[in-house]
Amino acid sequence: MSDITSSAFIREDLVAERPAPVKTTGFIGLVRTRLFNSPTNILLTIAGALLLWFTIVPSVKFLVVDAVWSGNDRTSCLAETAGFAVGACWPYIQAKLPQLIYGFYPEAERWRVNLTLVLAVVLLLPLLIPRLPAKGFNAGLFFFAFPMVAFFLLHGGGLGGFGLSWTAGLLQLFDDSIIGAGQAVLSLSKSSSIGPLLWVVGNLILLVGTAIYWLIYPLTWLRDQLQGTGQSVWTDFAITAVVVTLIAFFLGGGVRAGWRALASSIAAFVAVAIIIKLMGLDHGGLPIVQTNLWGGLLVTLVVSVTGIVTSLPIGIVLALGRRSTIPLIRIFSIAFIEFWRGVPLITVLFFATYMLPLFLPGNFTVDGLVRALIGISLFTGAYQAENVRGGLAAIPRGQGEAAAALGLSWWKMTSLIVLPQALRHVIPNLVNSFISLFKDTSLVSIVALFDLLGSLRASFSDPKWSTPSTAFTGFAFAGIIYFIFCFGMSRYSLFVEHRLNAHRRN
Amino acid sequence: MSNSPIVKISGLNKWYGEFHVLRDIDLSVEKGERIVICGPSGSGKSTLIRCINALEEFQEGEIVVDGIELGPNLKHVDAVRREVGMVFQSFNLFPHLTVLENCTLAPIWVRNIPKKDAEINAMKFLERVKIPHQANKFPGQMSGGQQQRVAIARALTMNPKVMLFDEPTSALDPEMVKEVLDTMVDLAREGMTMLVVTHEMGFAREVANRVVFMDAGQIIEANTPNEFFANPQHARSKLFLSQILR
Ligand SMILES: Nc1ncnc2c1ncn2[C@@H]1O[C@H](COP(=O)(O)OP(=O)(O)OP(=O)(O)O)[C@@H](O)[C@H]1O
Ligand SMILES: [Mg+2]
């Protein structure tokens, strides 16, 4: 009993607030608690300070303090004229800036590049800001309308036909190569020991080729008729629009549910028609600028944006294919991924540039830039496939089962439940690949495409600007440009990650 | 009960490789009937009810759900799944979607219902499971019991004719079991056809029309709960009940 009474306690005086004996807030607090609070930390602080001293100070000295800011040629950047050891030679960058941005793109046409860049920014920025509305429409413009407009802006040229002519052309090309193969086998049969067999095979191939020729004859005939008329583009366009819209209507569910598909198809074709009309594609379009004249930042951006935008879908398809239960699809995906991951990008670029033309049918040429683009997209796509696969593996089986139990088809389950979760898991990896792709675009300079780095190196040989610091200045400038883009992507991805993973915070 | 059974399983056999999990299962469920399936672990209870909505394939036999036939080749899978709702032991809510989005996803994408109507409908079901005010939370921000009730609401938004429950309370803390069971009792009162795999014998006594006891992939005994609990006939049922009702 007495124990209990002795442990009872009632406070009589309240304890007043008083400051901490050791300062834990403010600058002094920071220094004391974070920088000099233990022997190891003291060492690390000193080492860090030294590191900053030895990197930041010389950089600032080179880029700002010792830099030359104005001048007309190399003389202003020489130590003799400046009177001190010259750092960065900025007038050189200023003089070469057009070349670094546009390459050899004709001066009179450079407004087209500027317009494309402005369009890209105007369409991309609202897409990146989550608060703005109409994301679907905006994405449609950026991913479908913009590439088309950008192509005809940057490259120029017009349309000779539309869907019908293209289909006819492709089919004809296909048929021509079959007939070509048949004739090749036939000519072999004359000299070979298994001649009769080859003769039979060759004639069979020729027979198939001829059959296809007659099968597609209505199409090619119609195209030739169209080419004869003055209005070939618009007639062809109308035919394509009607056919595609009808297909969309019936695939979309016909009279019962196809009206949405019908409306979006019509809207898409109206948009295309407006673009054709506005850009005058039906009568020649803008003057053509061959891609071998493109250069500088323009090429870097074209290559990296195309690579980024196409590699993710490729990666997703391959990753899904790799998990498919259908053996053929799975084996193809695995082989594809392992092949592209197994060869260095340089090899891919060389192959695409110098060897691919040897494999393509004779009269079929692909532009050099496009070849590099395809190579880079497939290469990065293979890497993205492995990133996406990591995300897919992290999704519990129950998610798919729950979706299936609700009656969702495989496509809907994948696109609404599995992929959104899988991609969120791997945003850092995906962006990592994007950043490395952005920097890897500099490799295209080895296949005679002058990207930012390539144009820069080309400009070094100009005797007008050859000074001891020219190369350093140029590389510093290129480094800053690359850093701005990569750092921007990195920061934006952190933002997206934070936002999309709201559900994982409590 | 005059018309044909809503679920009719006949001669169902299933193997995992060499392992014969389900053996000659025959079971028919009338409209509005509540069936509790119990049995020792590994006896094939989950496998059986997962066959009903084709989450598992089977090698022999036939399942007919509301006149739609589901044979070993799993034709009509989509049609059957639209009629059958399922609640899992581990909830399986979609973590990246809010509660409301979880409940509107299938109506919008499977039944093509306009978003507005789907939301109104979903709110009705969320009210029924007593969590309408949490509609904009993410599943990860809710307790297990609440998540399971959302899962029930999500299945109900598709207006299923049959509801399957696979141990819906086994992953829950004891104090949350009751809230989920209460929801299920309400559902039973409203006349929903239910097949429930559970070890909650209280629930079986209260709502089941029939208790089906399974062991080693076969139905050992099926009877009304009163009869089954009071005097089980088969030796295995007796053993099982003596262990579970200690
Ligand atoms: N994918 C599978 N592959 C091989 N065997 C499996 C597979 N899934 C389940 N099994 C086996 O099938 C048997 C029945 O499993 P099931 O999950 O239906 O049992 P259950 O009665 O639901 O048990 P529990 O009460 O533990 O959930 C078990 O022996 C299990 O090991
Ligand atoms: Mg189970």
Side-chain angles (χ1 to χ4, degrees):
Chain A
M1 196 63 181
S2 62
D3 286 5
I4 294 168
T5 33
S6 68
S7 70
F9 169 77
I10 296 165
R11 176 166 298 286
E12 275 154 12
D13 307 312
L14 296 178
V15 180
E17 194 183 339
R18 65 189 169 89
V22 178
K23 209 161 159 26
T24 55
T25 56
F27 178 71
I28 304 288
L30 177 82
V31 168
R32 199 175 269 153
T33 57
R34 294 283 151 81
L35 298 179
F36 293 105
N37 56 340
S38 73
T40 341
N41 262 6
I42 292 175
L43 266 181
L44 286 176
T45 303
I46 293 173
L50 285 176
L51 197 68
L52 284 182
W53 178 261
F54 284 120
T55 53
I56 301 280
V57 171
S59 313
V60 170
K61 199 159 136 57
F62 178 82
L63 293 175
V64 183
V65 179
D66 288 347
V68 170
W69 295 91
S70 58
N72 295 319
D73 56 11
R74 63 187 291 270
T75 47
S76 45
C77 289
L78 292 176
E80 297 93 82
T81 24
F84 54 90
V86 171
C89 177
W90 294 121
Y92 150 69
I93 295 292
Q94 210 180 353
K96 292 294 178 189
L97 200 57
Q99 190 188 336
L100 294 184
I101 294 179
Y102 307 102
F104 299 111
Y105 208 91
E107 230 173 306
E109 305 291 337
R110 282 183 186 164
W111 62 270
R112 286 156 56 175
V113 179
N114 297 341
L115 183 59
T116 311
L117 288 180
V118 169
L119 269 180
V121 171
V122 166
L123 289 176
L124 186 59
L125 272 189
L127 203 57
L128 296 183
I129 301 172
R131 246 176 302 123
L132 297 181
K135 281 281 172 292
F137 179 64
N138 195 339
L141 282 183
F142 183 75
F143 289 107
F144 295 102
F146 174 70
M148 213 162 62
V149 173
F151 173 80
F152 286 109
L153 260 182
L154 292 176
H155 181 267
L159 292 169
F162 207 73
L164 178 83
S165 308
W166 297 336
T167 321
L170 267 182
L171 287 175
Q172 203 167 30
L173 193 75
F174 173 67
D175 192 38
D176 284 351
S177 40
I178 290 182
I179 292 179
Q183 274 156 355
V185 173
L186 265 191
S187 66
L188 258 184
S189 76
K190 291 190 188 102
S191 57
S192 165
S193 56
I194 47 168
L197 182 68
L198 285 182
W199 186 84
V200 172
V201 172
N203 272 317
L204 270 180
I205 297 179
L206 273 187
L207 198 69
V208 171
T210 321
I212 294 179
Y213 174 81
W214 287 108
L215 212 61
I216 63 173
Y217 184 73
L219 212 56
T220 43
W221 177 82
L222 196 58
R223 181 203 43 192
D224 294 341
Q225 294 303 307
L226 279 181
Q227 299 294 355
T229 70
Q231 285 295 313
S232 64
V233 176
W234 288 111
T235 324
D236 193 342
F237 179 84
I239 295 174
T240 313
V242 169
V243 170
V244 171
T245 305
L246 283 182
I247 292 176
F249 179 63
F250 285 115
L251 285 188
V255 196
R256 196 169 41 78
W259 299 105
R260 260 187 90 147
L262 184 87
S264 28
S265 173
I266 292 179
F269 275 105
V270 168
V272 173
I274 292 175
I275 292 172
I276 293 179
K277 194 75 211 161
L278 270 184
M279 299 185 65
L281 299 181
D282 49 342
H283 43 262
L286 295 161
I288 292 181
V289 180
Q290 294 296 346
T291 53
N292 54 12
L293 295 179
W294 302 17
L297 192 59
L298 170 65
V299 162
T300 299
L301 288 179
V302 166
V303 174
S304 53
V305 171
T306 317
I308 286 173
V309 171
T310 53
S311 67
L312 190 56
I314 293 175
I316 290 174
V317 169
L318 286 175
L320 292 174
R322 193 166 185 164
R323 289 164 59 95
S324 167
T325 47
I326 304 167
L328 205 65
I329 296 182
R330 191 176 57 242
I331 291 171
F332 172 80
S333 305
I334 293 177
F336 191 93
I337 293 172
E338 295 306 335
F339 172 76
W340 289 99
R341 288 205 309 162
V343 286
L345 182 54
I346 297 197
T347 319
V348 172
L349 289 173
F350 263 114
F351 183 84
T353 309
Y354 299 116
M355 306 209 16
L356 198 63
L358 303 181
F359 291 91
L360 289 173
N363 50 358
F364 196 74
T365 54
V366 183
D367 182 88
L369 181 63
V370 174
R371 287 195 296 250
L373 280 178
I374 293 175
I376 286 187
S377 296
L378 295 180
F379 182 83
T380 315
Y383 276 85
Q384 295 296 35
E386 287 301 279
N387 287 336
V388 174
R389 190 166 71 98
L392 290 175
I395 309 298
R397 217 175 59 152
Q399 290 291 309
E401 286 180 349
L406 284 168
L408 271 76
S409 64
W410 184 87
W411 291 103
K412 287 175 183 164
M413 172 184 97
T414 305
S415 58
L416 297 170
I417 303 299
V418 178
L419 273 181
Q421 293 187 55
L423 293 181
R424 278 163 219 235
H425 281 300
V426 293
I427 292 172
N429 312 20
L430 296 177
V431 175
N432 207 9
S433 295
F434 287 156
I435 289 177
S436 95
L437 163 70
F438 187 84
K439 292 184 292 182
D440 284 349
T441 56
S442 53
L443 287 177
V444 298
S445 59
I446 63 155
V447 290
L449 290 172
F450 287 90
D451 73 318
L452 177 59
L453 212 60
S455 305
L456 182 76
R457 296 175 67 126
S459 74
F460 290 162
S461 54
D462 183 354
K464 191 178 166 204
W465 285 102
S466 84
T467 71
S469 66
T470 299
F472 296 116
T473 312
F475 284 127
F477 175 74
I480 292 171
I481 298 284
Y482 278 107
F483 181 79
I484 290 173
F485 278 100
C486 295
F487 189 66
M489 279 194 264
S490 157
R491 296 314 296 183
Y492 183 70
S493 92
L494 278 183
F495 165 74
V496 170
E497 205 186 320
H498 190 73
R499 194 184 143 76
L500 288 185
N501 285 330
H503 64 278
R504 285 204 240 159
R505 292 189 301 272
N506 286 319
Chain B
M1 304 275 145
S2 55
N3 37 6
S4 56
I6 192 145
V7 178
K8 184 165 171 52
I9 303 171
S10 35
L12 178 67
N13 275 284
K14 175 174 170 62
W15 289 262
Y16 279 124
E18 292 295 299
F19 178 50
H20 197 171
V21 245
L22 294 179
R23 310 178 189 183
D24 292 338
I25 303 279
D26 290 298
L27 180 69
S28 64
V29 184
E30 301 296 329
K31 208 172 204 128
E33 204 179 5
R34 276 92 56 190
I35 291 188
V36 162
I37 302 172
C38 61
S41 180
S43 55
K45 310 177 297 286
S46 302
T47 312
L48 173 61
I49 69 165
R50 287 159 60 87
C51 281
I52 297 175
N53 65 353
L55 285 183
E56 300 284 352
E57 51 185 4
F58 49 91
Q59 285 78 26
E60 272 179 17
E62 187 186 70
I63 299 178
V64 180
V65 181
D66 196 31
I68 309 163
E69 184 184 317
L70 196 65
N73 52 11
L74 294 186
K75 259 193 264 169
H76 312 305
V77 174
D78 295 333
V80 166
R81 283 181 181 160
R82 256 173 267 156
E83 306 302 333
V84 180
M86 181 151 188
V87 174
F88 299 84
Q89 178 175 354
S90 48
F91 325 141
N92 292 346
L93 292 179
F94 306 130
H96 61 302
L97 302 177
T98 64
V99 165
L100 187 62
E101 286 165 343
N102 263 280
C103 293
T104 55
L105 183 94
I108 291 174
W109 290 96
V110 179
R111 293 223 192 271
N112 292 320
I113 294 174
K115 190 166 173 221
K116 276 261 152 37
D117 301 350
E119 281 177 353
I120 293 170
N121 193 41
M123 286 309 291
K124 209 173 70 196
F125 285 106
L126 287 175
E127 249 151 56
R128 237 164 91 177
V129 300
K130 304 192 179 64
I131 25 185
H133 43 281
Q134 317 244 33
N136 291 315
K137 279 194 177 178
F138 286 104
Q141 300 164 329
M142 309 178 88
S143 75
Q146 291 170 330
Q147 290 191 46
Q148 194 60 298
R149 284 185 285 152
V150 172
I152 295 175
R154 178 178 71 177
L156 291 177
T157 55
M158 289 294 282
N159 293 322
K161 299 212 167 81
V162 183
M163 283 285 283
L164 309 175
F165 294 82
D166 189 3
E167 308 204 28
T169 55
S170 309
L172 297 176
D173 291 341
E175 73 263 34
M176 295 173 192
V177 170
K178 189 171 175 308
E179 62 185 59
V180 171
L181 287 181
D182 285 348
T183 309
M184 291 168 61
V185 171
D186 287 346
L187 197 58
R189 296 250 157 81
E190 287 159 26
M192 175 63 77
T193 311
M194 299 163 70
L195 277 95
V196 186
V197 175
T198 185
H199 294 128
E200 297 291 336
M201 292 307 148
F203 175 81
R205 280 211 176 86
E206 191 178 343
V207 305
N209 303 105
R210 235 185 326 160
V211 175
V212 170
F213 174 72
M214 284 183 73
D215 192 12
Q218 41 215 304
I219 296 181
I220 302 288
E221 197 171 334
N223 214 333
T224 60
N226 287 339
E227 274 300 301
F228 179 73
F229 290 120
N231 53 50
Q233 301 296 310
H234 199 283
R236 294 203 191 188
S237 329
K238 285 178 187 159
L239 180 67
F240 176 73
L241 284 177
S242 70
Q243 282 167 343
I244 206 166
L245 299 175
R246 242 175 317 182

